[in-house]
């Protein structure tokens, strides 16, 4: 009986499947509608692509499948296809009287899951439900890696009567799980499904991390995380890929400073988000952790994630760079007290430094050199921003996306440091990041520098004077400034914070920040170096104009905080 | 009466005015959609009249924007195909070829022909539907589902 039920259930799935049909030709539309009705689907029609988009946006879960004509006056069918794939992640079938392979190819490359020729035959329509199932199945597979047996209720086939979501696909998922799906990758199949880019905002990341922490890092599975996070429109795939990055990040940060996780989040976010990454995460947890061992040692490397990440800086940063990587997690400054938690701002933005790859090895290091000479001119271009201390410094940094967002922990800022600004910045930044994904919040200065420094204050001896030293050092590329000062222009500064940074890291983040002085030597920490690179590279798109960084002071601001951490 | 209707339909098919697609449409007609085919045909003629107008205007302008003409014709062809208007479809195809060849003369000629076919079809279908309505529910097209 069960089998039968299953079969029946399965059979029922296509019934009632909700299809949105779009075609400017009334005749064809009417015929299509009728054919679909005949297949027992639930049909909604519109002859305008815009209207179709509206309907879809209104409620993403209202439809299971979209069928669209290619030639439409108000919008190209392929464009609609792309948008639907991106925003709603629904399977789309193209329909056209053109049998030209070019069109079919275009359909495929734009993500269509099928291409039908007019006149459409009912036999073909009878099978289109497979695309719905397949897409769900793939999604599940991708995000479920580790999440097999996701008990989501799939129960034997049931749900099929519920045409929408999930049921059939859950069923499949179960089967799939049983089958052992181990692939753990993002399962992003860009060619077939363009998933909307998810912006991992600070908030989102916070939830993510909370969920991960709650589940236990080792056991965190995308599905569970997703459930815990309870964020609409987030798919397992998104979570899975984010999780993967997060894990990498953690690894990078320092072997197993899982503890730092919390902190890492920010850092991580930054990294992964690239631009968006600027999440300011006040990582309360782990903050100490990171500092601990990592901090000290790592702190250096703590280079503001992403930003300097790579500190390729051959110049002085080199050393720092490596360190930086670890700090990635360190980015999050945990010092709630003083640093106000600098969150490592997105390492991503760093990429832009100069052309965008901040992380890439951070051109920063080079910059750093320059910086040194420039006197941080750019380095901290971000200074202006992120650091509370610098509130104004930004000057040099152009506000573009590449801004380094210094995430100073907003929380602490008021107290710990002039952090307000940073916070504000961060906020701005977060907002900006999330919204525009690339443009950093104009936050006070155009060059919002996001410095992801992680402040681990504890281990580092904070000493005010350090900062000063630091400042003076400018040139000393060794800064291990953990924070990434990412000024679009300057970003490159891979901040190496060099050894001095350690010292510099005074406990007072505030002080560290050199509020004015920060001449952060451009040595920004290239953000976590290494690992971040990848992430950053991808994310960082900003190009930061080096020149902007001229005012290093900002950058350092954050930097100082870093120092404290370390 | 229904036989008559069937006969007319058959003749239309035989003469190539209509093709299997039309049959498919008839199949879609059922109790829920008793006049489905007629509705679709009406829609088609409305749309195609508009298209024909557009093309006429474009041709009269003498500018011969082949791209645009091709586009129109593509649309026209699409709907004609959907309804099974076979002769019209053929003319559309020819027209498009002339367009691609940049043959203005050919386009004009074909278009005239196309209009003729279109008009003929329309008349015939109107007749057909009229009869069909008189004859009552169609049985010919109905097939057990």
């Amino acid at each position: 009986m069960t089998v039968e039920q299953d079969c029946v259930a399965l059979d029922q799935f296509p019934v009632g499947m909700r299809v949105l049909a779009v075609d400017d030709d009334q005749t064809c539309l009417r015929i299509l509608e009728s054919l679909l009705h005949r297949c027992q689907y639930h049909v909604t029609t519109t002859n305008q692509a815009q209207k179709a988009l509206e309907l879809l946006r209104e409620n993403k879960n209202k439809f299971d499948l979209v069928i669209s004509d290619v030639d439409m006056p108000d919008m190209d069918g392929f464009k609609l296809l792309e948008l639907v794939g991106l925003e709603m992640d629904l399977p789309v079938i193209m329909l056209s009287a053109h049998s030209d392979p070019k069109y079919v190819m275009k359909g495929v490359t734009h993500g269509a899951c099928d291409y039908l020729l007019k006149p459409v035959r009912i036999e073909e329509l009878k099978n289109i439900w497979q695309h719905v199932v397949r897409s769900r199945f793939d999604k599940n597979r991708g995000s479920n890696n580790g999440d097999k047996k996701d008990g989501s209720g799939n129960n034997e086939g049931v749900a099929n009567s519920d045409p929408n979501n999930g049921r059939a696909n859950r069923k499949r998922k179960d089967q799939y799980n049983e089958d052992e799906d181990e692939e753990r990758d993002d399962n992003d199949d860009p060619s077939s499904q363009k998933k909307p880019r998810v912006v991992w905002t600070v908030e989102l990341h916070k939830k993510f991390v909370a969920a991960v922490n709650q589940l236990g890092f080792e056991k965190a599975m995308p599905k569970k995380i997703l459930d815990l996070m309870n964020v609409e429109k987030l798919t397992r795939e998104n979570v899975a890929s984010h999780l993967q990055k997060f894990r990498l990040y953690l690894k990078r940060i320092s072997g197993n400073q899982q503890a730092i996780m919390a902190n890492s989040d920010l850092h991580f976010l930054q990294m992964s988000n690239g631009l968006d990454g600027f999440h300011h995460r006040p990582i309360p947890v782990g903050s100490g952790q990171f500092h601990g061992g990592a901090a000290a040692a790592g702190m250096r490397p703590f280079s503001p994630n992403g930003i300097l990440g790579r500190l390729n800086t051959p110049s002085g940063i080199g050393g720092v760079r490596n360190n930086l990587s670890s700090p990635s997690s360190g980015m999050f400054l945990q010092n709630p007290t003083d640093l106000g938690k600098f969150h490592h701002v997105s390492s991503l933005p760093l990429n832009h430094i100069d052309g965008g790859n901040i992380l890439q090895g951070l051109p920063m290091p080079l910059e750093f050199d320059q910086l040194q000479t420039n006197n941080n001119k750019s380095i901290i271009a971000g200074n202006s921003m992120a650091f509370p201390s610098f509130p104004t410094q930004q000057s040099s940094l152009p506000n573009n996306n590449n801004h380094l967002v210094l995430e100073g922990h907003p929380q602490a800022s008021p107290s710990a440091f002039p952090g307000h600004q940073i916070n504000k910045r961060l906020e701005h930044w977060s907002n900006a990041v999330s919204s525009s994904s690339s443009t950093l919040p104009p936050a006070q200065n155009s060059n919002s520098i996001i410095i992801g420094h992680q402040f681990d204050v504890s281990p580092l001896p904070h000493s005010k004077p350090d900062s000063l030293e630091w400042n003076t050092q400018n040139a000393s590329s060794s800064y291990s400034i953990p924070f990434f000062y990412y000024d679009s222009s300057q970003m490159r500064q891979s901040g190496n914070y060099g050894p001095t940074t350690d010292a510099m890291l005074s406990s007072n983040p505030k002080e560290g920040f050199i509020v004015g002085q920060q001449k952060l030597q451009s040595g920004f920490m290239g953000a976590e170096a290494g690992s971040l690179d990848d992430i950053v590279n991808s994310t960082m798109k900003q190009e930061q104009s080096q020149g902007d960084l001229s005012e290093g002071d900002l950058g350092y601001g954050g930097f100082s905080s870093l120092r404290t951490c370390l | 009466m229904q036989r008559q209707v069937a006969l007319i339909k058959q003749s239309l098919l035989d003469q190539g005015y209509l093709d299997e697609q039309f049959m498919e449409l008839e199949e879609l007609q059922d109790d829920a959609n008793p006049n489905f085919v007629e509705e679709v045909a009406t829609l088609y003629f409305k749309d195609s009249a508009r298209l024909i107008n557009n093309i006429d205007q474009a041709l009269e302008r003498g500018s011969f924007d082949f791209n645009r003409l091709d586009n129109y014709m593509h649309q026209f062809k699409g709907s004609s195909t959907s309804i099974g208007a076979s002769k019209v479809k053929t003319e559309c195809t020819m027209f498009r070829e002339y367009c691609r060849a940049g043959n203005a003369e050919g386009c004009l000629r074909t278009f005239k022909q196309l209009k003729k076919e279109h008009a003929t079809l329309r008349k015939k279908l109107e007749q057909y539907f009229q009869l069909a309505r008189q004859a009552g529910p169609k049985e010919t097209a109905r097939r057990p589902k």
Side-chain angles (χ1 to χ4, degrees):
Chain A
M1 263 324 154
T2 320
V3 174
E4 276 170 48
Q5 280 170 2
D6 283 357
C7 292
V8 167
L10 249 187
D11 283 346
Q12 280 176 23
F13 159 56
V15 170
M17 184 174 81
R18 297 156 309 165
V19 182
L20 176 64
V22 190
D23 191 339
D24 63 313
D25 184 332
Q26 294 280 11
T27 316
C28 297
L29 193 60
R30 186 80 178 78
I31 296 176
L32 184 61
E33 183 186 10
S34 191
L35 287 170
L36 290 168
H37 272 308
R38 187 51 73 86
C39 296
Q40 294 183 287
Y41 301 140
H42 182 270
V43 190
T44 308
T45 60
T46 172
N47 63 349
Q48 284 170 12
Q50 280 301 337
K51 187 80 177 61
L53 271 178
E54 276 169 30
L55 284 171
L56 288 166
R57 282 175 181 149
E58 199 183 310
N59 182 355
K60 296 205 177 139
N61 293 327
K62 230 164 130 193
F63 299 101
D64 298 306
L65 179 71
V66 178
I67 298 186
S68 165
D69 184 33
V70 166
D71 305 298
M72 289 190 289
D74 63 333
M75 185 191 295
D76 180 24
F78 293 117
K79 181 93 174 76
L80 176 65
L81 162 63
E82 265 182 353
L83 289 174
V84 173
L86 275 173
E87 291 183 31
M88 291 111 203
D89 203 11
L90 284 176
V92 181
I93 292 179
M94 301 309 292
L95 199 57
S96 178
H98 283 298
S99 57
D100 191 345
K102 267 199 321 236
Y103 282 82
V104 181
M105 175 63 90
K106 208 169 169 198
V108 170
T109 55
H110 282 68
C113 53
D114 205 353
Y115 190 104
L116 301 178
L117 292 182
K118 288 185 187 172
V120 183
R121 292 191 339 254
I122 195 165
E123 294 82 10
E124 291 175 345
L125 291 178
K126 286 215 170 109
N127 281 339
I128 59 178
W129 60 267
Q130 64 176 289
H131 301 294
V132 176
V133 172
R134 185 178 298 118
S135 98
R136 295 210 187 122
F137 189 61
D138 285 345
K139 261 195 259 184
N140 285 336
R141 188 191 327 174
S143 56
N144 273 353
N145 271 336
D147 204 359
K148 294 201 244 168
K149 277 353 142 183
D150 159 67
S152 36
N154 320 320
N155 11 277
E156 34 297 297
V158 188
N160 290 338
S161 31
D162 171 15
N164 21 310
N165 353 281
R167 289 315 177 185
N169 119 102
R170 294 266 175 101
K171 187 157 150 17
R172 289 278 158 76
K173 206 169 54 140
D174 275 348
Q175 289 173 359
Y176 183 76
N177 286 341
E178 288 164 22
D179 286 283
E180 219 32 60
D181 165 25
E182 80 310 319
E183 67 183 87
R184 224 199 126 351
D185 51 282
D186 277 356
N187 200 27
D188 258 357
D189 188 357
S191 56
S192 67
Q193 304 238 6
K194 280 203 215 157
K195 315 246 176 333
R197 188 95 201 249
V198 168
V199 173
W200 281 90
T201 61
V202 177
E203 289 309 312
L204 202 56
H205 188 69
K206 257 198 257 189
K207 285 195 184 163
F208 171 80
V209 175
V212 168
N213 286 338
Q214 195 175 325
L215 293 168
F217 182 75
E218 300 302 321
K219 309 182 46 201
M221 301 302 190
K223 170 91 174 53
K224 301 208 181 105
I225 296 174
L226 181 69
D227 290 345
L228 275 178
M229 282 175 74
N230 195 22
V231 170
E232 224 187 68
K233 299 174 196 177
L234 196 62
T235 68
R236 276 191 210 85
E237 272 165 321
N238 297 135
V239 175
S241 85
H242 195 69
L243 179 63
Q244 187 178 37
K245 288 187 198 147
F246 189 71
R247 287 199 170 131
L248 283 175
Y249 168 83
L250 291 182
K251 251 200 256 182
R252 255 191 247 237
I253 300 183
S254 48
N256 339 299
Q257 301 257 5
Q258 303 287 346
I260 308 192
M261 268 196 325
N263 302 335
S264 325
D265 293 329
L266 249 180
H267 180 70
F268 174 71
L269 270 181
Q270 295 173 348
M271 296 201 290
S272 47
N273 282 335
L275 269 185
D276 308 321
F278 290 45
H279 295 292
H280 174 61
R281 233 171 94 102
I283 303 205
V285 188
S287 41
Q289 305 160 3
F290 196 73
H291 309 309
M299 283 315 206
R300 259 321 168 93
F302 179 80
S303 51
N305 290 325
I307 306 185
L308 297 186
R310 304 313 181 83
L311 297 197
N312 298 302
T313 61
S315 48
I317 315 209
V320 177
R321 206 184 13 184
N322 297 327
N323 299 332
L324 295 176
S325 45
S326 45
S328 6
S329 49
M331 305 273 229
F332 300 119
L333 264 184
Q334 300 187 352
N335 288 321
T337 53
D338 354 335
L339 294 183
K341 296 186 191 258
F342 281 89
H343 293 286
H344 172 52
V345 178
S346 48
S347 42
L348 305 176
L350 289 178
N351 285 327
H352 283 291
I353 305 188
D354 276 11
N357 305 306
I358 301 191
L359 287 190
Q360 300 271 335
L362 294 190
M364 310 230 305
L366 292 179
E367 312 271 23
F368 184 77
D369 286 334
Q370 295 173 9
L371 287 174
Q372 300 181 351
T373 50
N374 295 330
N375 216 42
N376 306 321
K377 42 169 179 187
S378 49
I379 309 181
I380 317 232
N383 293 331
S384 50
M385 35 170 247
F387 285 105
S389 51
F390 315 106
T392 55
Q393 314 257 343
Q394 301 233 344
S395 55
S396 53
L397 298 172
N399 253 333
N400 0 44
N401 308 333
N402 302 325
H403 302 299
L404 264 181
V405 174
L406 247 190
E407 296 207 29
H409 188 59
Q411 307 156 358
S413 50
S415 53
F417 70 21
H420 281 297
Q421 296 168 359
I422 294 194
N423 292 334
K424 282 207 233 122
R425 296 265 177 112
L426 284 176
E427 281 160 14
H428 281 298
W429 176 71
S430 299
N431 294 339
V433 170
S434 3
S435 54
S436 52
S437 74
S438 53
T439 46
L440 287 179
Q444 304 141 42
N445 311 318
S446 47
N447 304 319
S448 36
I449 295 184
I450 300 184
I451 298 195
H453 33 229
Q454 303 169 342
F455 294 99
D456 269 0
V457 221
S458 51
L460 296 173
H462 292 291
S463 43
K464 210 42 176 321
D466 288 340
S467 54
L468 291 180
E469 287 176 11
W470 181 58
N471 291 328
T472 51
Q473 304 223 14
N474 298 4
S476 45
S477 45
S478 47
Y479 258 144
S480 46
I481 300 184
F483 68 118
F484 292 99
Y485 180 70
Y486 163 177
D487 189 348
S488 51
S489 50
Q490 318 223 359
M491 298 292 288
R492 291 330 162 93
Q493 315 270 355
S494 31
N496 310 309
Y497 317 135
T500 49
T501 48
D502 287 345
M504 307 226 293
L505 287 172
S506 39
S507 45
N508 301 339
K510 270 202 284 199
E511 305 179 68
F513 287 99
I514 307 204
V515 181
Q517 336 185 20
Q518 309 266 2
K519 286 288 211 66
L520 259 182
Q521 321 208 355
S522 37
F524 273 117
M525 6 207 255
E528 12 225 274
S531 55
L532 287 180
D533 292 347
D534 304 329
I535 301 188
V536 173
N537 290 338
S538 50
T539 51
M540 298 265 212
K541 13 187 193 175
Q542 314 145 356
E543 15 284 326
Q544 310 207 340
S545 35
Q546 286 274 236
D548 295 338
L549 281 177
S550 47
E551 270 27 68
D553 28 66
L554 260 176
Y556 291 141
F559 183 75
S560 37
S561 36
L562 284 179
R563 298 207 293 183
T564 51
C565 316
L566 299 180
Chain B
M1 183 95 203
Q2 286 181 6
R3 218 150 109 70
Q4 233 179 328
V5 172
L7 278 175
I8 294 189
K9 184 162 66 156
Q10 193 57 43
S11 89
L12 283 174
L13 281 168
D14 290 341
Q15 287 171 37
Y17 285 104
L18 295 175
D19 61 21
E20 309 76 44
Q21 183 61 22
F22 192 80
M23 304 292 298
E24 300 254 352
L25 291 186
E26 296 226 307
E27 284 202 29
L28 285 178
Q29 187 157 295
D30 57 12
D31 290 339
N33 275 329
N35 295 317
F36 177 66
V37 189
E38 190 173 354
E39 277 171 29
V40 174
T42 313
L43 270 175
Y44 168 70
F45 284 114
K46 193 159 63 129
D47 258 358
S48 51
R50 188 177 43 88
L51 272 173
I52 287 184
N53 238 350
N54 286 345
I55 300 181
D56 255 336
Q57 283 176 8
L59 287 175
E60 269 168 37
R61 268 196 298 255
S63 52
F64 282 103
D65 177 354
F66 288 118
N67 262 340
R68 187 194 258 175
L69 288 173
D70 191 54
N71 272 341
Y72 282 138
M73 201 43 74
H74 171 72
Q75 258 184 293
F76 201 119
K77 180 171 173 222
S79 21
S80 306
T81 315
S82 300
I83 200 184
S86 155
K87 286 201 177 180
V88 177
K89 186 172 67 161
T90 312
E91 297 298 331
C92 288
T93 311
M94 277 217 312
F95 185 97
R96 294 187 78 203
E97 279 181 20
Y98 281 123
C99 274
R100 284 195 217 125
N103 185 341
E105 178 57 36
C107 284
L108 282 169
R109 240 183 314 122
T110 312
F111 190 59
K112 247 204 287 215
Q113 185 67 18
L114 189 153
K115 276 195 282 188
K116 207 161 68 124
E117 292 293 346
H118 183 260
T120 313
L121 181 66
R122 183 181 206 150
K123 244 194 311 196
K124 290 197 188 267
L125 275 180
E126 274 172 10
Q127 261 176 6
Y128 172 72
F129 287 127
Q130 219 172 14
L131 261 182
R133 255 182 276 131
Q134 286 171 18
K138 281 220 184 93
E139 279 170 18
T140 43
R142 211 92 52 111
R143 283 207 208 145
K145 295 209 184 71

